Amino acid sequence: MNFLFPGAMIRRERIRRNWSQEGLCAGICAVSYLSKIEQGKAEAGPEILRMLFARLEQPWYDDELTMAGVESFIGCCYEALFACDDERLETLQDEFSEKAAIISNSPYALDEALLRKFLFRTYEPAEKDMEPFLDQRQLALQRMLQGRHEEAMRLYPCSYFSLMAGIQLYEQGGGDAAALGHLRRAYDMAAEEGYVRVMLLAKVYMGNCYCNRIDIENMNAQYLIAERLARTLDEHNLLRDISYNRASACLEAGRYEEAYAYFVQVQQPTIMDLHKLAICCEKLGRRGEAFGALDRAEEMETVYPDLPLARQMCGLVRFRLEHEDYLQSSKYGELLLHVYNECRRKMPVGYAAFHLPWMLEWHTAARQYRAAYELLLDFPLKLPINRD
């Protein structure tokens, strides 16, 4: 809560109305005093604030009873956010909307402006002119909204910001070693803070980092702990994600039978389950089963971060199955390059990394050795395991 920010609110509203300082403060306070209030150089008394806001026809809430309720509610919002409790954040949305008119016209206006972004998942930074009035926690949230996660972690060290910094590095391919460092720190801090879901997510993403490296042993070590936590929290979707990632890593490592054993038994497969099943069957020579999986994938309309891109991924598998000489086809090369670039642009880095073996295969067949070398520089820890 910043008691100097109301001055900035007064200035903004006064300028919007094209009022002079003299016109606003006449009979309330001296112009010099109003100037200091607006610049954040003086904290106005409660009565003066009420009179200034009243003249601007703006409500202002700072009485003790109202503030006690607002402070408690804001505390609940921060607690749910830092605990990564998405379900709780969702249940707070309606109450937040009901209280917003009061909170945004109170000393907690900055918290309202920032927390709104996270509760309603808009994730646009708050206005920059607010920044001089933000405390460390608020400024950390602003830096997160600006995509500056590591700076947020330094401003307000806690498990949440460490987790977000690690996830950002993982998804952008900013270096597994750095991502793992942040995620380990997040796990340790969350254990101290009592945020079990942060511990769970830290272990999941640590497993994901090792999955990207195709380091099966370390991946399984992290996922084993994550699974225990997920079962305790009834996080069934995360349990499924872990199983999917395990099987995908086996597929990338050339352990096709193991991967096939998982994907073939999925009861309600997603389009990406069917994509991986088709690749397993492609590698194991089960062409009919591969086509069956791709046919089912074509009919799917399920929600996916980018359904057209997922279908194009399936199209690559179908093309290889239908054309034994696919490496001589410019059409295949164009589709492969498009899918790879779209994965880099839209998705976490693991989606592009998954296609690396086929990209290397294509460049090598076309004798584009420099392009292949540059790809390997992009993914120094990714093993080219497109083995037959």
Side-chain angles (χ1 to χ4, degrees), residues 76-330:
C76 288
C77 293
Y78 276 113
E79 177 71 14
L81 177 63
F82 289 161
C84 290
D85 190 343
D86 292 340
E87 186 176 331
R88 177 64 174 147
L89 285 171
E90 193 169 330
T91 63
L92 288 168
Q93 288 176 355
D94 289 343
E95 189 175 356
F96 190 91
S97 296
E98 291 170 6
K99 295 178 182 292
I102 292 176
I103 302 172
S104 62
N105 290 284
S106 81
Y108 289 92
L110 289 168
D111 294 298
E112 191 276 339
L114 289 164
L115 286 170
R116 173 178 294 278
K117 315 286 185 180
F118 292 90
L119 263 71
F120 296 96
R121 295 176 171 83
T122 54
Y123 301 125
E124 290 295 322
E127 296 175 20
K128 278 199 169 183
D129 62 359
M130 289 184 176
E131 290 193 10
F133 302 96
L134 300 177
D135 63 25
Q136 293 294 95
R137 180 172 68 176
Q138 293 164 343
L139 188 56
L141 290 178
Q142 174 77 336
R143 292 293 178 259
M144 258 197 66
L145 293 168
Q146 293 168 335
R148 297 155 64 178
H149 292 61
E150 291 194 77
E151 189 175 343
M153 181 189 66
R154 290 192 296 270
L155 280 165
Y156 195 79
C158 68
S159 63
Y160 175 75
F161 289 122
S162 291
L163 175 68
M164 293 300 115
I167 291 175
Q168 184 191 44
L169 283 170
Y170 159 75
E171 291 188 342
Q172 295 181 354
D176 282 342
L180 284 165
H182 291 315
L183 294 168
R184 289 191 188 100
R185 185 182 184 199
Y187 181 84
D188 292 340
M189 294 176 78
E192 291 290 328
E193 295 163 358
Y195 290 141
V196 181
R197 195 163 194 277
V198 177
M199 295 170 64
L200 164 60
L201 292 173
K203 282 297 178 183
V204 168
Y205 278 94
M206 287 167 70
N208 292 352
C209 287
Y210 287 116
C211 179
N212 274 359
R213 294 182 174 194
I214 319 177
D215 183 342
I216 305 293
E217 183 179 354
N218 280 311
M219 177 194 73
N220 283 331
Q222 302 305 320
Y223 281 159
L224 180 63
I225 298 170
E227 284 172 325
R228 291 172 185 156
L229 292 167
R231 282 192 291 269
T232 300
L233 297 174
D234 290 326
E235 291 279 357
H236 300 294
N237 288 336
L238 277 177
L239 284 168
R240 176 169 174 151
D241 289 345
I242 290 169
S243 295
Y244 171 89
N245 288 344
R246 269 201 174 111
S248 294
C250 287
L251 171 57
E252 292 186 80
R255 292 156 61 168
Y256 305 124
E257 288 288 359
E258 288 180 58
Y260 173 83
Y262 168 77
F263 288 114
V264 77
Q265 56 79 41
V266 176
Q267 295 298 310
Q268 294 181 311
T270 66
I271 190 170
M272 295 311 294
D273 289 323
L274 294 170
H275 170 253
K276 299 300 186 297
L277 175 59
I279 294 175
C280 289
C281 293
E282 175 191 12
K283 294 297 183 182
L284 294 170
R286 298 172 178 170
R287 289 172 52 83
E289 198 172 345
F291 280 119
L294 294 172
D295 290 342
R296 291 166 65 193
E298 278 186 8
E299 298 170 0
M300 298 194 76
E301 295 289 346
T302 53
V303 176
Y304 184 78
D306 194 309
L307 188 57
L309 179 55
R311 286 183 170 151
Q312 289 165 1
M313 292 182 201
C314 291
L316 277 173
V317 185
R318 185 180 291 277
F319 196 104
R320 292 196 297 269
L321 289 167
E322 292 177 344
H323 303 84
E324 288 187 8
D325 61 345
Y326 65 89
L327 288 174
Q328 281 71 56
S329 169
S330 60

Side-chain angles (χ1 to χ4, degrees), residues 308-359:
L309 179 55
R311 286 183 170 151
Q312 289 165 1
M313 292 182 201
C314 291
L316 277 173
V317 185
R318 185 180 291 277
F319 196 104
R320 292 196 297 269
L321 289 167
E322 292 177 344
H323 303 84
E324 288 187 8
D325 61 345
Y326 65 89
L327 288 174
Q328 281 71 56
S329 169
S330 60
K331 183 178 178 181
Y332 174 77
E334 290 170 6
L335 178 58
L336 174 62
L337 189 60
H338 171 76
V339 167
Y340 175 81
N341 287 333
E342 286 296 282
C343 287
R344 289 301 302 260
R345 187 171 69 88
K346 295 181 178 180
M347 310 296 284
V349 71
Y351 286 82
F354 181 84
H355 289 89
L356 178 63
W358 289 279
M359 289 289 293

